[in-house]
Amino acid sequence: MRSSLTRALLLQYLVNHYLDVNTTIFGQVVPVPATSALEETNALTGTGSLGAQASTCLAEHGYYPTFTLVDYYDVGNGSVFGASALSVRSSRSRGIVGCGRESERC
């Protein structure tokens, strides 16, 4: 029998953490990102925040999500990356992004 930690390490799961509002475009109701609530949705703490969602996953499953889907990762003063750091149990640091260069467009 595998320990719960071993099982957790073998699993990967995705959390969709975004907030939509419905709008009508050409007579069709379409969900669009709730941009007015991004600071709360992408926050590290607080009701409805990404950090709270990660903590709920930890409490319910014993581990953080492997992947997190968000709208507008660049909103929230780095909080999306802070929540991601919780998931990988590391500290936030500036690192390689995109094409392999620090903060440089590809």
Side-chain angles (χ1 to χ4, degrees), residues 18-88:
Y18 51 87
L19 178 63
D20 288 335
V21 294
N22 289 328
T23 190
T24 303
I25 301 174
F26 300 115
Q28 297 291 316
V29 176
V30 183
V32 296
T35 55
S36 63
L38 284 174
E39 291 290 335
E40 295 169 36
T41 303
N42 287 358
L44 190 53
T45 60
T47 303
S49 69
L50 181 58
Q53 178 67 55
S55 296
T56 298
C57 291
L58 177 62
E60 290 182 8
H61 303 288
Y63 53 97
Y64 292 103
T66 307
F67 306 100
T68 304
L69 177 65
V70 297
D71 283 326
Y72 302 97
Y73 73 92
D74 56 339
V75 176
N77 197 23
S79 56
V80 170
F81 299 107
S84 178
L86 288 175
S87 298
V88 295

Side-chain angles (χ1 to χ4, degrees), residues 81 91-97 101-104:
F81 299 107
S91 61
R92 289 188 297 170
S93 63
R94 182 180 164 123
I96 305 301
V97 295
R101 297 187 284 276
E102 287 191 350
S103 301
E104 185 179 322

